[in-house]
Amino acid sequence: MLHKNQYNTHRTNKSSLTIVVKIGTSSICNEVTHFPLLSNLSGLVEAVLHLRSQGHRVVLVTSAAVGTGLRRLNMAEKPSKLSARQAVAAVGQGRLMALYDDLFGQFGQPVAQVLLTKNDLADRSQYLNAVNCLEELLDMGVVPIVNENDTISTQGIRFGDNDTLSAVMAGMIKADYLFLLTDVDCLYTDNPRTNPDAKPVLVCDDMVKLREQVSVASMGSSLGTGGMATKLIAADLAIAAGVITIITNGSKPKNIFEIIEGDRLDSTETKHPLHTRFLAKDNPLLDRKWWIQYGLHTAGTIYVDDGAAKAILAPRIKSSLFAAGIVDVEGSFVAQQAVEIAVQKKIGDQVEKVVIGKGIVNYSSTEISRIKRCRSAEIPNILGYVDSDSVIHRDNLVRIIQQF
């Protein structure tokens, strides 16, 4: 059965889907020569056009700016110096877009370049502007081609890899499906190249159990920044937004519409291409909550006592975080930044940090250090003013775990 995100209100017709496709560097560039893999790219373009002809809206998230830049500059390896990598990416991004524009242009399909950093989405108004722009492009029949803006990205504002970026895109536009195209057919219990006993994982409905069953320690290609571990993180982000996530082979782009067609027919006789499917959560986070959890940089940590933790996690009750329940503050941050909410749990002789939530603070780290363990009525006497009775209001607080 075709999956449809309950929050998606931008459908061209009842059968229309919104699909995000992410293709990695190893599927675009030869790892040694850095020449583009034109057969893969042409197949991808044809798959996107096929989806468009069926009335679906498609966003393409692409890697390979650095790989394309290395080929253009005749460089053998990715530089270790950050500014050099950024310069190579600047050269490669233009060449990469020209390649896509040429391929899509053969069929008269307009495309748009969208470059983002995590910092661009940290401000709520900028986040909503980005969503509106993407929706407008899709309504115009354009295929947005999204990449991280490597030229200005630094460690603190990077998505880290385009798997994460694609999941953020899927959440922003409330996509129905996210396809992560990689250089293997699906997720395996171990690396199939080194372990012949590795078994394919076909369906996942519990990420915690999955992580206990599989080994994803291997890194991505020498040109890329990801690997299978980053795809699990991306899947976790996407399913929280109500998006079914599929891992499948990037050298077989037709897998995308074959999987979609198989879901549409909803027949046990339909043979799907080999892939891993992560089932979307039944109760996805609302847009603002999802943005807080995944769109905002975490600036610090607030440690709370057991009473505050139980109040925050109480089922069917939405509780704010008050100063009286705070025991410690870690990091330096200002009001309206996002922080983790954690408890310190003693396990044997060890004290373990357990993150229970994330939220937007009404006070800075310095102010919270002064008012922690105090009642709300005492805040004006301590600070000389009061901005809010709560440190984090319940509307700006997301629960990460359900019980403590």
Side-chain angles (χ1 to χ4, degrees), residues 187 201-208 210 239 276-280:
L187 173 68
V201 177
L202 302 181
V203 179
C204 171
D205 59 2
D206 189 326
M207 294 295 290
V208 176
L210 179 71
I239 63 175
T276 299
R277 177 181 300 249
F278 297 86
L279 301 181

Side-chain angles (χ1 to χ4, degrees), residues 308-385:
K310 289 174 182 175
I312 289 169
L313 299 178
R316 296 184 296 278
I317 299 174
K318 293 182 178 180
S319 177
S320 299
L321 174 61
F322 297 95
I326 297 173
V327 296
D328 202 3
V329 183
E330 187 177 276
S332 178
F333 50 86
V334 298
Q336 302 308 309
Q337 282 193 291
V339 301
E340 289 178 335
I341 304 168
V343 293
Q344 291 180 315
K345 189 174 181 181
K346 191 170 183 179
I347 302 174
D349 296 332
Q350 302 293 320
V351 176
E352 184 178 311
K353 172 183 175 182
V354 180
V355 178
I356 64 169
K358 184 175 177 179
I360 300 174
V361 291
N362 294 319
Y363 295 94
S364 70
S365 54
T366 304
E367 291 168 327
I368 296 170
S369 294
R370 293 176 63 191
I371 63 175
K372 65 184 181 184
R373 286 304 195 186
C374 298
R375 291 181 293 109
S376 298
E378 297 176 88
I379 293 177
N381 294 331
I382 297 169
L383 298 181
Y385 54 88

